[in-house]
Amino acid sequence: MTVSRRGFLQVAAGSAAGLVLSFYVPAGVRAAKAAQPPSSSPNAFVRIGTDESVTVMLAHSEMGQGIWTGLAMLIAEELECDWSKVRSEHAPVASVYAHPVLQIQMTGGSMTTLGEFERYRTVGAMARDMLVRAAAARWKVSPAACKTAKGVVTHGKDLLTYGQLAADAMKLTPPTTVKLKQPKDWKLIGTPVRRLDTPEKITGKAQFGIDVSFPGLRTAVVLRPPAFGSRLVKFDATAALKVPGVEKVVPTANGVAVIAAHFWAAKLGRDALHVEWTQPDGGGVDSARLLVEYRAKAKTRGAIATDVGDVDAALAAAKSRLEMEYDVPYLAHAPMEPLNCAVKIDGDRCEIWTGTQLPAIDQQVAAKILGTAPDKIAIHTPFLGGAFGRRGSATSDFVSEAVIVAKAAGVPVKVVWTREDDVRGGFYRPAYVHRVQVGVDARGAPVAWDHVIVGQSVVAGTMFEPFVVRNGVDSTSVEGIDGSPYLEEIPGRRVSLHSPKTPITVLSWRSVGHTHTAFVMESVIDELAHAAGQDPLAYRLALLKGKPRHANALKVAAEEAGWGTALAEGRARGIAVHESFGSIIAEVAEVSIEQGRIRVHAVTCSVDCGTAVNPLAVEAQIQGSIAFGLGAALHSKLTIRDGVVQESNFHDYQVLRMFEMPRIAVHIIPSNAKMGGIGEPATAVIAPAVANAVFALTKQRLRSLPFRLAQD
């Protein structure tokens, strides 16, 4: 673990802080550095000011998942500073902020905390070591004789604050190795801590991308193709330019932008445009027709993800066979803050303000558009008003569009998407069809499993494809099935995948492939349990006898939910368990049917995520994930006809309403397992838990999302 003293002193000398400490760079990140743009920025660092403030630079984006607090807790734990003095800031784009595992500066995959757990604690320990040595030098005592607590170094009755020591500590050489605390000695990690960003967000002080404003900034809205496969032929801006406040109309890569003094003028100007588009080839893609095509394709074998034993022979020899088909629709991400991006171009330099999950890629794309070096592109990351994957576009679609508009306009421009633009703008969770054939023995246990999945790849055609797609199989399309603990002991098992291409642009959606694979796997297991005449919990526990963490999560959720006890008339429970992003989630849903609609009254959730850095944040993320997933299970669906998305806003692309929010009880299981992610896993489990509860109540097996009950 090495730190350049020259680089350390260079950044320290240019800072008003008393102590600026740079991170060590793991070998994997150092190796990746050559592929990233050169930068004069130091490694990610913590600043300790003479005013006792401790500022933590975040290598990742805060989009509601709580890392503004969680990462700061990691440094504060080892630093032993005064928590009330801690604050966070988003770091700039630089190769040294690359994720230690993914080797790119990004936020996604529920990997922030688990990826930074060692790195952020290490920098806290390094800073503490330097402060202690600075104090010991003043007192002429051994550093080992000094103690630290709440931002103060003491030796007997002598004491010095971190702020008083910061300047002296800055002059010292950072340690090459540090010893991190053992879990038994943690004072902050593992305790419930209120979020640092909450006060700003309550008071309105927090700045999101859509809030960005400065003198000379203009607002633009873009008229994009009305249908997938349509292209711009020509446009007439005469009427648009007559709208008061409209200043310019320029073409973009795939549409027309109206630049104005403010948003409303830009929108009215866009409404006044006369535009001619080409018609999509073949009349345009149709989601209903795609579903028929996917179902037909699911009857054929795809690219092989898993193939163990003689599956066909095992199916033929089974005591009985079950055949099932499941499908899920295209879904929009629909974050509360629609997409936006502000761009200011000054010669060969450019500043960008946007909520993004992939700033390193955005920087490269912007540089290419402007014909300049990546290190001349500065990206400022405000808070993200939700993302769920939409702000992690590998093509940087919304950022590149804003750069193109600003370049054409010749003035600083903030491109703002309306809610309708956001819902109809593409980059959706793909639709999928699953066809499953399971052969069971006399006890109802599976002995053969043939599983075919059909759906678009979210990485095809992107920089991630070479790393994610192997032998025609996109691992994100089969995750949660390929390698499922339920399948490990089945002697004949096969999982195959078709990844058809369509004009519809797709992107990862919260919990990625697990959004559909968890629904299918846990529903199928429930079907097998009922077909065998067994209790769904007992059936799962029998299949998972070699998986103690899964079994324990099931038992905790079931016990806390009162599984097996009587419920009020007209109610039933359903259970599901699934592992994703290194965490195991079990959920029990309690439902009823009210006026022909599914009502979810309560959800009991157990989570084994290894170390829970901030239990309060874990609970909040699970609550939010369940609400997000429940909205998709009950309501959300995109319908595409003639290449045109029919839904436009929350009135027809429905998400969960306040009155529909169930009571949620979260039980964090103490665990010594390797840390897992927490921002996404609970989203995947809620749909099957609800479907299984509905079956227990009505005997209707719901195999399509969103759920629709059969009417008598």
Side-chain angles (χ1 to χ4, degrees), residues 277-320:
W277 307 93
T278 64
Q279 291 298 311
D281 294 339
V285 66
D286 183 285
S287 55
R289 188 168 63 244
L290 275 181
L291 181 59
V292 173
E293 294 173 4
Y294 282 14
R295 284 174 172 164
K297 196 173 288 289
K299 295 178 181 178
T300 66
R301 193 173 305 170
I304 297 297
T306 297
D307 196 357
V308 177
D310 190 333
V311 179
D312 296 325
L315 283 170
K319 178 70 174 178
S320 60

Side-chain angles (χ1 to χ4, degrees), residues 455-472:
Q456 287 175 252
S457 166
V458 296
V459 299
T462 74
M463 63 174 290
F464 299 114
E465 182 175 3
F467 308 100
V468 178
V469 179
R470 290 285 186 273
N471 300 318

Side-chain angles (χ1 to χ4, degrees), residues 565-637:
T565 62
L567 281 169
E569 186 176 355
R571 294 194 182 190
R573 299 186 184 99
I575 195 167
V577 64
H578 190 76
E579 179 177 1
S580 60
F581 307 98
S583 293
I584 298 170
I585 303 280
E587 294 176 15
V588 175
E590 180 182 324
V591 309
S592 70
I593 307 300
E594 295 182 358
Q595 298 179 337
R597 294 178 178 270
I598 300 168
R599 180 64 185 271
V600 182
H601 298 276
V603 178
T604 304
C605 178
S606 66
V607 52
D608 181 347
C609 59
T611 299
V613 172
N614 184 357
L616 201 60
V618 171
E619 182 180 13
Q621 280 301 289
I622 288 176
Q623 291 170 338
S625 293
I626 289 173
F628 190 80
L630 190 54
L634 299 180
H635 304 301
S636 305
K637 179 181 181 180

Side-chain angles (χ1 to χ4, degrees), residues 236-477:
D236 182 353
T238 304
L241 290 169
K242 292 180 180 179
V243 174
V246 172
E247 299 175 357
K248 191 173 291 188
V249 178
V250 299
T252 69
N254 70 333
V256 184
V258 178
I259 296 98
H262 51 81
F263 169 79
W264 192 242
K267 182 187 179 303
L268 292 179
R270 183 176 69 172
D271 294 344
L273 283 172
H274 294 283
V275 180
E276 182 180 334
W277 307 93
T278 64
Q279 291 298 311
D281 294 339
V285 66
D286 183 285
S287 55
R289 188 168 63 244
L290 275 181
L291 181 59
V292 173
E293 294 173 4
Y294 282 14
R295 284 174 172 164
K297 196 173 288 289
K299 295 178 181 178
T300 66
R301 193 173 305 170
I304 297 297
T306 297
D307 196 357
V308 177
D310 190 333
V311 179
D312 296 325
L315 283 170
K319 178 70 174 178
S320 60
R321 180 194 301 191
L322 288 82
E323 296 187 16
M324 297 148 280
E325 187 176 90
Y326 286 80
D327 63 86
V328 300
Y330 286 97
L331 292 175
H333 300 77
M336 289 306 297
E337 179 196 16
L339 295 172
N340 57 83
C341 181
V343 179
K344 180 181 181 182
I345 301 171
D346 185 6
D348 64 347
R349 295 187 176 275
C350 175
E351 288 187 89
I352 297 173
W353 291 261
T354 189
T356 175
Q357 295 175 250
L358 295 175
I361 295 178
D362 297 335
Q363 184 188 54
Q364 296 278 354
V365 170
K368 185 175 181 180
I369 292 170
L370 298 175
T372 190
D375 63 353
K376 293 184 178 180
I377 307 294
I379 296 184
H380 307 284
T381 307
F383 286 120
L384 283 63
F388 316 123
R390 182 60 184 95
R391 288 179 159 91
S393 170
T395 61
S396 297
D397 67 294
F398 64 96
V399 175
S400 63
E401 179 185 69
V403 173
I404 289 170
V405 171
K407 181 180 179 181
V411 295
V413 169
K414 177 170 64 175
V415 175
V416 176
W417 295 49
T418 65
R419 175 72 58 203
E420 290 78 8
D421 294 338
D422 215 35
V423 171
R424 290 176 168 167
F427 294 94
Y428 305 128
R429 196 288 302 278
Y432 284 90
V433 167
H434 291 243
R435 185 169 183 267
V436 189
Q437 297 181 79
V438 183
V440 298
D441 61 18
R443 297 173 295 121
V447 293
W449 193 292
D450 186 19
H451 199 134
V452 182
I453 307 167
V454 185
Q456 287 175 252
S457 166
V458 296
V459 299
T462 74
M463 63 174 290
F464 299 114
E465 182 175 3
F467 308 100
V468 178
V469 179
R470 290 285 186 273
N471 300 318
V473 176
D474 177 351
S475 61
T476 68
S477 292

Side-chain angles (χ1 to χ4, degrees), residues 672-685:
N672 294 321
K674 181 181 178 181
M675 180 186 292
I678 205 62
E680 301 173 87
T683 296
V685 191

